[in-house]
Amino acid sequence: MSFPRLRSWFSERYDIERIKDLVGKKTVPAHRYEIAYYTGGIALFLFVIQFITGMVLSLYYIPYFEQAHHSIIEIVTKLNMGWFFRSLHHWGAQIAIIALFVHLWCTLLLKAYRKPRELLWFSGFVLLGISIFFGLSGYLLLWDERAFAAVRVATGGAGSLPFVGSFIKAFLRGGTDVSGDTLTRFYAFHVSILPLFTVFLIAVHLLLVQCHGMSVPLSVTGQNRKDTPFFPNVFYKDLIAWLIILGIVVTLATLLPPEILGKADPLAPAPENIKPEWYFLFLFQTLKLFPGVIFGLNGETIAILLISAGILFLFLIPFFDRKSQRGEKSTLFTWIGVIYLFYFLIMTVIGFIS
Amino acid sequence: MTQFFMTFAVVLITATALWTGPEKVDSHGLTSVALQRYDRTTWHSPPGLHPGFSASSCCPWESSKLLQTGYPREWVTATQAPAVAYKASLAHTVSEMGVAPAALPVEGATQAPAVAYKASLAHTVSEMGVAPAALPVEGATQAPLIEVFPVTPYERLIIYENLIIFWLGIIGLVIIIRMKLREIDRTHKMGIDREEKDIPLLD
């Protein structure tokens, strides 16, 4: 099964030996935090699952408000394995966002964003933002009562931003309120605009990883360690991780298929105890903490400004953390990372159980 | 005298039955209202039926053609008029899908408020229309959840079996990969994976 003629056909045209050398020479640092290296691979694998299942679903989905809900019901109830692909897409998205958050926090706590990897951090951060927007846009495609109300709340929240808020809200909704136009717009985002950006950013991210090599945490820098060859050792471990993740996603998709509520009705009141998706719960819970009016100003606007400032600080952290840039330990930023992590976890849990 | 009363009672019951029709409950215990609510929500086969099968083959209230289903003429004419008006106000979708009896206004409910409300709203609402179902319907219940997982025990059994086989496959693959990794480590420790530069070639 070595296909010598095919191999020689390629080697006459392309420098395969050079690629083989590159793969053979690539090594991964071995240390006690090396498990963090697998989180990126898991996120990438889940992106692939999302792309495949999304493509399958798009063959049958009708992106028009009158038929959208019906077409999903048709996919779930009439198509062979339709329910499974939809469920796989749903759970794949949830686990992908979890993997991205874990990857982000590993990078943050291990200071992998430090010089010269700032662009890696930025591209990864934007990818997380895009993934969350993927989730929001995909959520509306269901066009059921809950999705409709949730998107109305989410886009309304964006409208609370001063100066640009109303523009963002109108841009997202395609009008004054969530309507069929919003569905068309979100569909365009979900299946063409966001995937294009995602593929580009993933390519940039992977290229930068190859360019800079794997980051080594400050605490293990300078220690005598033996690097592990990427192929086949780390690749095989990656495969194991992917198989287990695939098993988890398939199990969740089988045992907990996501429900579908009644078709969205703009006139109907929002369903009781409506909550956003889990990755928005910390925002939702934070907004609840703020009173309606603070010093005569809109409380929601102030809350959204503060949250935006917090996210912007996290985004620009490679520039603030000067000690890490110099290769020194920066305990302050480790604590900042830990506080961010706990705030996110606690608010999400409170939002979930309340 | 008793015989007269009994005959009168039988006649009365028969007349009532003819007027209102017998209680239309299908084999799954769903009444026409329940079925119609289900269909209106899902536009799909009711619970208990295999996906792809419709209740229309056995239940007359599934049909959009009221006059062909043998409903009392008065009831049909009373409900058909708003149905036509409603159908005319909407685009092809509703007219194609038909308006089923339970989706029509029940006694006391009229189309007028819906139309007036519709006129006062923006294009979204006017396009989507306000179905009579949005009006309070006596005895209406919460729309049931849509089955997102095969309902028949046979299908469920197959799915759970496949899940177990899938996990066995994953565990098997993980074991094979781990064995392979150990083998790589062993050869690496022995140093036999490195190529010798001046190795003699046997020609």
Side-chain angles (χ1 to χ4, degrees):
Chain A
M1 289 284 278
S2 61
F3 302 108
R5 284 184 68 190
L6 188 70
R7 202 181 266 188
S8 64
W9 189 89
F10 268 104
S11 32
E12 278 170 21
R13 287 156 182 81
Y14 304 101
D15 194 0
I16 296 175
E17 289 304 314
R18 211 173 135 206
I19 298 166
K20 276 171 77 177
D21 275 357
L22 203 73
V23 173
K25 280 178 187 164
K26 185 178 163 53
T27 55
V28 175
H31 50 81
R32 63 177 183 275
Y33 302 116
E34 68 176 29
I35 195 163
Y37 296 139
Y38 298 99
T39 55
I42 289 169
L44 182 65
F45 174 69
L46 286 161
F47 268 117
V48 174
I49 291 185
Q50 288 308 98
F51 271 79
I52 295 167
T53 51
M55 279 189 273
V56 173
L57 291 173
S58 70
L59 296 176
Y60 297 95
Y61 178 73
I62 304 169
Y64 185 59
F65 73 93
E66 278 189 345
Q67 280 106 29
H69 186 252
H70 177 53
S71 70
I72 289 183
I73 292 164
E74 294 268 304
I75 289 169
V76 169
T77 54
K78 287 191 177 173
L79 281 179
N80 273 339
M81 303 291 282
W83 67 271
F84 180 66
F85 274 93
R86 179 180 166 257
S87 198
L88 212 57
H89 196 67
H90 170 86
W91 281 108
Q94 310 297 318
I95 309 282
I97 292 175
I98 292 174
L100 282 170
F101 270 115
V102 172
H103 190 50
L104 177 107
W105 260 291
C106 285
T107 312
L108 185 69
L109 296 176
L110 297 176
K111 310 283 185 331
Y113 54 75
R114 68 185 188 276
K115 189 182 167 185
R117 295 183 177 78
E118 292 94 338
L119 281 178
L120 259 169
W121 170 260
F122 295 144
S123 57
F125 204 93
V126 174
L127 268 171
L128 175 66
I130 285 179
S131 304
I132 288 171
F133 193 37
F134 253 124
L136 181 72
S137 57
Y139 197 43
L140 184 71
L141 300 189
L142 187 56
W143 202 247
D144 72 349
E145 293 161 3
R146 194 167 42 198
F148 188 86
V151 170
R152 195 179 246 173
V153 172
T155 50
S160 297
L161 277 168
F163 309 116
V164 288
S166 53
F167 168 74
I168 293 172
K169 190 168 94 173
F171 175 72
L172 289 174
R173 287 182 175 180
T176 51
D177 199 358
V178 177
S179 65
D181 293 339
T182 320
L183 178 73
T184 315
R185 205 159 270 222
F186 273 38
Y187 178 74
F189 280 126
H190 197 74
V191 304
S192 62
I193 300 166
L194 295 181
L196 205 68
F197 278 107
T198 305
V199 170
F200 173 72
L201 280 172
I202 288 174
V204 169
H205 199 76
L206 290 177
L207 207 70
L208 287 171
V209 170
Q210 302 314 313
C211 179
H212 294 302
M214 308 296 258
S215 163
V216 181
L218 284 166
S219 56
V220 291
T221 315
Q223 285 178 6
N224 277 336
R225 57 168 206 280
K226 215 176 179 183
D227 289 354
T228 319
F230 174 78
F231 196 86
N233 298 47
V234 176
F235 178 72
Y236 279 151
K237 284 179 186 169
D238 260 334
L239 266 184
I240 292 175
W242 295 351
L243 280 170
I244 292 167
I245 289 294
L246 181 69
I248 292 169
V249 175
V250 167
T251 309
L252 287 169
T254 311
L255 300 179
L256 300 166
E259 60 179 11
I260 305 171
L261 296 185
K263 189 179 174 180
D265 182 357
L267 302 175
E272 278 179 31
N273 198 21
I274 186 160
K275 281 178 190 170
E277 285 282 274
W278 66 268
Y279 38 83
F280 286 123
L281 277 176
F282 78 101
L283 289 173
F284 180 67
Q285 206 56 33
T286 308
L287 286 176
K288 275 190 190 174
L289 294 176
F290 283 78
V293 179
I294 304 169
F295 302 120
L297 296 165
N298 186 351
E300 195 182 342
T301 306
I302 291 172
I304 286 176
L305 273 176
L306 286 174
I307 292 164
S308 305
I311 293 169
L312 191 68
F313 176 78
L314 197 61
F315 181 66
L316 297 173
I317 213 163
F319 296 133
F320 294 122
D321 190 0
R322 297 285 175 86
K323 274 192 169 182
S324 288
Q325 277 188 20
R326 293 194 295 267
E328 296 166 21
K329 279 188 182 179
S330 61
T331 324
L332 173 69
F333 281 85
T334 308
W335 278 109
I336 288 173
V338 170
I339 290 167
Y340 264 92
L341 173 63
F342 276 99
Y343 182 81
F344 177 80
L345 289 177
I346 291 166
M347 283 299 171
T348 304
V349 171
I350 292 171
F352 193 75
I353 56 176
S354 63
Chain B
M1 195 63 178
T2 315
Q3 204 174 13
F4 169 74
F5 275 117
M6 279 182 70
T7 316
F8 180 72
V10 169
V11 168
L12 195 68
I13 290 164
T14 315
T16 315
L18 283 172
W19 173 253
T20 57
E23 179 63 20
K24 290 178 169 32
V25 177
D26 75 344
S27 55
H28 310 293
L30 288 171
T31 62
S32 55
V33 171
L35 264 173
Q36 281 307 323
R37 285 196 66 78
Y38 187 82
D39 278 357
R40 204 167 50 244
T41 318
T42 65
W43 300 28
H44 190 254
S45 35
L49 286 187
H50 192 277
F53 285 83
S54 166
S56 59
S57 54
C58 60
C59 306
W61 50 79
E62 282 281 315
S63 172
S64 61
K65 293 172 183 161
L66 300 179
L67 291 169
Q68 292 176 10
T69 58
Y71 280 84
R73 183 167 293 278
E74 292 79 2
W75 189 61
V76 172
T77 46
T79 54
Q80 193 75 338
V84 171
Y86 175 57
K87 277 166 82 169
S89 72
L90 294 172
H92 66 285
T93 317
V94 175
S95 63
E96 268 181 28
M97 292 180 175
V99 180
L104 298 173
V106 291
E107 200 180 334
T110 57
Q111 190 68 10
V115 173
Y117 192 27
K118 237 171 80 173
S120 70
L121 292 169
H123 80 283
T124 316
V125 178
S126 64
E127 266 183 39
M128 293 184 81
V130 180
L135 300 171
V137 179
E138 202 181 327
T141 52
Q142 189 72 29
L145 282 175
I146 295 138
E147 290 291 347
V148 288
F149 190 67
V151 285
T152 57
Y154 175 73
E155 282 175 312
R156 287 185 175 213
L157 179 74
I158 296 285
I159 288 165
Y160 293 139
E161 267 181 8
N162 281 328
L163 187 62
I164 292 166
I165 294 166
F166 180 75
W167 265 111
L168 288 174
I170 285 180
I171 292 165
L173 277 171
V174 168
I175 289 168
I176 291 166
I177 294 169
R178 282 188 68 87
M179 282 163 68
K180 185 81 183 162
L181 269 171
R182 263 190 219 146
E183 183 65 18
I184 290 165
D185 279 346
R186 199 173 66 86
T187 51
H188 190 69
K189 273 179 194 162
M190 287 166 74
I192 53 174
D193 58 327
R194 278 180 235 119
E195 270 185 34
E196 283 183 41
K197 294 258 166 94
D198 304 322
I199 193 163
L201 292 169
L202 295 170
D203 287 321

